[in-house]
Amino acid sequence: MDIIFSILLALIFVGLTTVGYFLKDLPTLLRELRVEESRKNSEKEIQREIFFRQLKGSELANTLEDWSDIIMSLEKSDKKNYKPEKMMSLQKKVLLYGSDRSVKILSETMQNFYNPNENSFIAMYYICRLICSLKLDFTGYEILPVDIIKIKITDYNSKENIEKFTEAQDIVEGRLKELGLI
């Protein structure tokens, strides 16, 4: 009986020693597994980004150009850019090729169109914010909506316009901040 008890104790000791040996390396192994998993996820994300950039590059450029044309032709008497078919096409392109941020900004822009405000600069500011988002999607460069507005509006510095643009900026930026888009 003493021999069986001694053998059993020896087996338990060997088992505990083996488990202890592997357990001391367990935190290192878990950390390495997490790092490897993170690296794998990052590589997948980079591959996905490269694939979509190649796939949608020219379409995104056309979309950016089309939305920019809307801002640049605001005062023109012909309203060809505002036909429902053209607007639906532009919306579809943003939906297909834009980032999630651009799609959300488009949805807020369209909600503003569906429920118009007496300050027309709000709609203009939404479109400029969408253009900025599309430019970031396409080029990786970030521009400000106010820069687009200053390109287009010749009397931006008039007191009346500054007040309207500041109000529009506060409303749009506030709404987009609520949504976590900026």
Side-chain angles (χ1 to χ4, degrees):
M1 186 75 159
D2 283 340
I3 294 177
I4 295 176
F5 186 68
S6 295
I7 293 174
L8 187 59
L9 279 177
L11 286 174
I12 291 173
F13 178 73
V14 170
L16 286 175
T17 304
T18 305
V19 168
Y21 177 76
F22 287 111
L23 283 180
K24 77 175 175 83
D25 291 334
L26 186 62
T28 304
L29 289 172
L30 289 175
R31 191 175 325 112
E32 288 175 0
L33 283 173
R34 273 189 245 123
V35 167
E36 189 62 34
E37 183 68 25
S38 175
R39 184 177 299 136
K40 184 174 118 183
N41 289 339
S42 295
E43 288 174 0
K44 283 183 180 178
E45 186 65 33
I46 289 169
Q47 287 174 343
R48 186 179 308 123
E49 183 69 24
I50 289 170
F51 174 75
F52 278 110
R53 286 228 182 245
Q54 289 172 347
L55 179 70
K56 68 181 183 178
S58 63
E59 285 299 323
L60 190 54
N62 291 338
T63 304
L64 174 59
E65 184 176 349
D66 290 343
W67 279 99
S68 298
D69 286 346
I70 288 176
I71 286 294
M72 293 302 152
S73 64
L74 279 178
E75 81 284 343
K76 290 186 178 175
S77 60
D78 89 326
K79 302 290 185 187
K80 69 177 181 181
N81 289 328
Y82 300 108
K83 289 183 179 177
E85 302 82 29
K86 176 77 170 174
M87 291 304 291
M88 286 176 28
S89 172
L90 289 174
Q91 292 169 20
K92 181 179 176 183
K93 285 181 180 181
V94 172
L95 184 63
L96 290 174
Y97 306 114
S99 65
D100 59 338
R101 179 191 64 254
S102 294
V103 172
K104 289 176 184 176
I105 292 172
L106 172 65
S107 69
E108 289 301 311
T109 302
M110 297 316 298
Q111 283 302 304
N112 181 67
F113 289 162
Y114 302 145
N115 304 302
N117 190 305
E118 61 186 49
N119 184 349
S120 62
F121 293 131
I122 294 173
M124 181 187 292
Y125 199 89
Y126 267 116
I127 294 173
C128 289
R129 182 45 86 174
L130 176 61
I131 292 168
C132 292
S133 182
L134 290 169
K135 181 161 179 76
L136 183 62
D137 292 348
F138 181 60
T139 66
Y141 293 112
E142 194 166 353
I143 60 173
L144 298 173
V146 70
D147 293 330
I148 298 171
I149 292 168
K150 285 181 178 179
I151 291 169
K152 183 60 188 160
I153 304 299
T154 56
D155 58 346
Y156 174 81
N157 289 322
S158 74
K159 184 179 180 190
E160 180 183 343
N161 280 347
I162 286 180
E163 288 173 3
K164 287 181 180 179
F165 278 118
T166 302
E167 177 189 8
Q169 181 177 10
D170 292 343
I171 291 169
V172 173
E173 300 288 325
R175 178 64 183 141
L176 297 180
K177 281 180 185 173
E178 283 176 20
L179 298 171
L181 299 174
I182 56 172

